[in-house]
Amino acid sequence: MTTLTDPTPRSARHTSFVLERPLPATPARVFRAWADPEAKRRWSDCHAGNGSLDYRVDFRVGGRESYRARLPDGRLLEIEKVFLEILPAARILFAYTMVADGRSLSASLVTVEFEEAAPAGTLLRLTEQLAYLDGHEDLEMRRRGTAEGLDRLLLEVADAAPTG
């Protein structure tokens, strides 16, 4: 808790990024890869191989997704999400915070849109709006980690593309 005598400088810097991926599966199939907890864990772990300690998901409006991992430098990373809107095969909206060893790094609002694309495909558009806190900044790393997750999503849905 910050008090009036806390000498720590406080700041919030805002930025955003958009990533798009054409995917070889229908919007319904791509949405299922987000909704199924096992599938989501396979493709979305932004710190794959880094010592995941705990992962939980309750995929519903008001539900939460929690992730804890030990980073290579030994810090404990905690990500807490809350789902704000879920429109099957159309849109997912969630907010999340990122904390490392008890220090708040950022808070984000993410919109994921699924747009039907010919033939039998999906254009996925992910928009992340970030508030970086107290001097933390990792935009290129965040963008790269999100992009890597979307690349794994492509592999996840490509494996099942014939079933649509």
Side-chain angles (χ1 to χ4, degrees):
M1 176 179 202
T2 303
T3 64
L4 293 177
T5 59
D6 184 352
T8 306
R10 300 293 175 195
S11 65
R13 191 179 89 66
H14 299 87
T15 191
S16 64
F17 66 88
V18 177
L19 297 174
E20 292 185 345
R21 289 290 185 282
L23 301 171
T26 64
R29 171 64 190 109
V30 176
F31 178 82
R32 282 194 303 272
W34 285 79
D36 177 278
E38 289 306 313
K40 182 137 191 297
R41 186 168 188 172
R42 280 192 300 269
W43 67 262
S44 72
D45 186 352
C46 64
H47 295 279
N50 276 350
S52 178
L53 302 172
D54 186 40
Y55 176 77
R56 299 169 196 211
V57 64
D58 178 10
F59 188 73
R60 62 181 175 85
V61 173
R64 296 188 172 275
E65 182 174 354
S66 300
Y67 175 80
R68 291 180 356 143
R70 186 70 58 192
L71 296 174
D73 64 6
R75 292 180 303 152
L76 176 63
L77 177 69
E78 299 173 271
I79 298 173
E80 292 291 330
K81 295 180 185 176
V82 62
F83 295 101
L84 304 172
E85 181 182 63
I86 298 172
L87 299 175
R91 182 172 59 229
I92 301 168
L93 185 68
F94 61 90
Y96 78 96
T97 58
M98 187 176 289
V99 175
D101 274 352
R103 177 183 173 217
S104 293
L105 303 178
S106 65
S108 294
L109 177 66
V110 179
T111 305
V112 183
E113 300 168 277
F114 307 90
E115 182 180 312
E116 195 165 333
T122 300
L123 176 63
L124 181 140
R125 183 176 303 105
L126 182 145
T127 303
E128 183 163 351
Q129 299 166 288
L130 299 102
Y132 282 118
L133 305 174
D134 304 330
H136 177 75
E137 220 172 297
D138 66 357
L139 182 59
E140 287 311 311
M141 185 184 310
R142 185 79 55 100
R143 185 188 311 236
R144 185 177 64 242
T146 303
E148 289 171 0
L150 294 181
D151 292 344
R152 288 190 300 271
L153 172 61
L154 185 148
L155 297 173
E156 178 79 23
V157 300
D159 289 343
T163 65

